[in-house]
Amino acid sequence: MEFILVTQQARPHVALIQLNRPKELNALNLQLMAELRDALKELDQNEEVRAIVLTGNERAFAAGADIKQMAGKTAIDMLHIDQFSTWDQIKKTKKPLIAAVSGFALGGGCELAMTCDMIIASETAQFGQPEIKIGVMPGAGGTQRLTRALGKARAMEMVLTGKSISAREAEKHGLVNRVVPVELHLEEAFKLAGEIAQLSPVAVKLAKESVNRAFEAHLEEGLHFERKNFYLTFASEDQTEGMAAFVEKRQPVFKGR
Ligand code: DAK
């Protein structure tokens, strides 16, 4: 891996992926995206990993797709480039994925953070879709996810002007879970991931899938999906253990079975 750093057990059962092109503000070139796709796939299959934190550095989470790499491309070149496999892999990842964002989260960087399940932002984080300023528009979910999070008026202004919003504004509108001082943002993400990693991996997986359905389906279909997954948790040893531990007034030991 040249452009990302992967730590399988950064904390117990919590893996860390760090985007690592600091001089280019972690601009997402094709190799970085392919490395990210492969790392996510591997960590998602690793039974020792129960949650994944994705981060950049203090100055930049990611300043977008690599403009220098895209500059000379034609529409047909872009069509043939297999960029979507990374975004598909992010969506397919069954384990909770938490973005720890500091500094720039722009264009594809903002879209990457929004595709994660939760976002912990540092006070310096800024979120934006500046593609319009370079004559294009968001292409990896920005117009959809920003609109769902912020509402039409705010998303429209951001997408049509390219202006970013601060971490505090993002928090106010529910785009991020919380804002913490820069030096604490990664630790806060680990804390959240660690909390989830102690719970039943079976229940966590089904619950994540169900929350995501709220965005992807109509209410009736989402409720139906949620109910089916709820019943399915009763097929797990973790459900038996969790409820037995409650009754016996002890801590449960979850095995992901
Ligand atoms: N691409 C390539 N290089 C970048 C970059 C980017 N997006 N952002 C920054 N860099 C490079 C700069 O060129 C500079 O390199 P050198 O010139 O030193 O070699 C270095 O990083 C430091 O940047 P600056 O000197 O510009 O630093 P400043 O603090 O002055 O400014 C900035 C920081 C973030 C405001 C500025 O760098 C900037 O405006 N960057 C571009 C932001 C942007 O427009 N992002 C959107 C890109 S379009 C898709 C998937 C993804 C996408 C589309 C489709 N599919 C799956 C279909 C995504 C598209 C995009 O993200």
Side-chain angles (χ1 to χ4, degrees):
M1 300 282 185
E2 188 182 345
F3 295 126
I4 64 170
L5 301 170
V6 180
T7 313
Q8 286 203 3
Q9 295 285 327
R11 295 288 185 278
H13 299 299
V14 176
L16 174 68
I17 302 178
Q18 182 173 20
L19 307 180
N20 190 33
R21 282 188 87 198
K23 280 200 212 114
E24 294 82 7
L25 306 183
N26 290 330
L28 308 166
N29 66 9
L30 294 175
Q31 188 180 331
L32 185 154
M33 295 301 283
E35 289 177 9
L36 178 60
R37 177 197 62 210
D38 295 346
L40 279 173
K41 193 169 179 188
E42 205 178 308
L43 293 173
D44 207 33
Q45 285 166 355
N46 182 337
E47 286 213 359
E48 290 306 307
V49 174
R50 291 183 176 188
I52 303 165
V53 173
L54 176 64
T55 197
N57 55 53
E58 287 191 4
R59 188 165 174 225
F61 177 71
D66 191 322
I67 302 171
K68 292 167 191 164
Q69 200 173 47
M70 282 188 299
K73 299 274 188 285
T74 66
I76 304 303
D77 292 336
M78 292 303 285
L79 194 67
H80 286 314
I81 292 170
D82 179 30
Q83 279 193 79
F84 277 108
S85 61
T86 307
W87 302 93
D88 289 346
Q89 179 55 49
I90 299 170
K91 278 190 280 170
K92 264 195 283 182
T93 300
K94 296 191 167 59
K95 291 172 186 167
L97 188 53
I98 299 169
V101 177
S102 184
F104 301 113
L106 302 178
C110 184
E111 289 167 319
L112 180 59
M114 290 193 295
T115 312
C116 294
D117 300 311
M118 287 165 277
I119 304 177
I120 300 293
S122 90
E123 280 162 348
T124 65
Q126 49 174 287
F127 299 86
Q129 300 289 160
E131 291 90 338
I132 203 89
K133 293 184 186 170
I134 53 168
V136 292
M137 59 168 279
T143 61
Q144 305 304 300
R145 292 200 172 88
L146 212 53
T147 307
R148 282 163 200 233
L150 304 182
K152 177 179 164 181
R154 279 185 205 94
M156 193 69 92
E157 186 173 343
M158 285 176 71
V159 171
L160 298 193
T161 66
K163 272 190 280 185
S164 347
I165 56 169
S166 68
R168 289 286 170 209
E169 280 175 274
E171 183 187 36
K172 194 165 81 190
H173 301 300
L175 186 70
V176 309
N177 293 63
R178 55 192 154 274
V179 182
V180 296
V182 181
E183 64 280 11
L184 295 182
H185 79 290
L186 187 55
E187 210 40 58
E188 185 68 20
F190 279 142
K191 213 166 104 189
L192 178 58
E195 207 175 306
I196 296 167
Q198 285 174 27
L199 303 172
S200 161
V202 179
V204 166
K205 179 172 151 183
L206 293 171
K208 165 174 165 163
E209 211 182 10
S210 299
V211 172
N212 278 335
R213 264 306 153 111
F215 284 96
E216 291 154 7
H218 294 298
L219 184 61
E220 274 314 308
E221 194 195 329
L223 291 173
H224 180 66
F225 188 83
E226 179 193 68
R227 191 175 315 161
K228 273 193 355 197
N229 272 355
F230 172 73
Y231 293 149
L232 194 54
T233 60
F234 282 72
S236 71
E237 289 174 22
D238 284 349
Q239 175 269 333
T240 313
E241 167 64 7
M243 292 193 177
F246 177 81
V247 173
E248 292 158 20
K249 297 188 188 297
R250 61 174 176 81
Q251 284 300 312
V253 181
F254 292 122
K255 296 189 177 137
R257 297 268 172 267

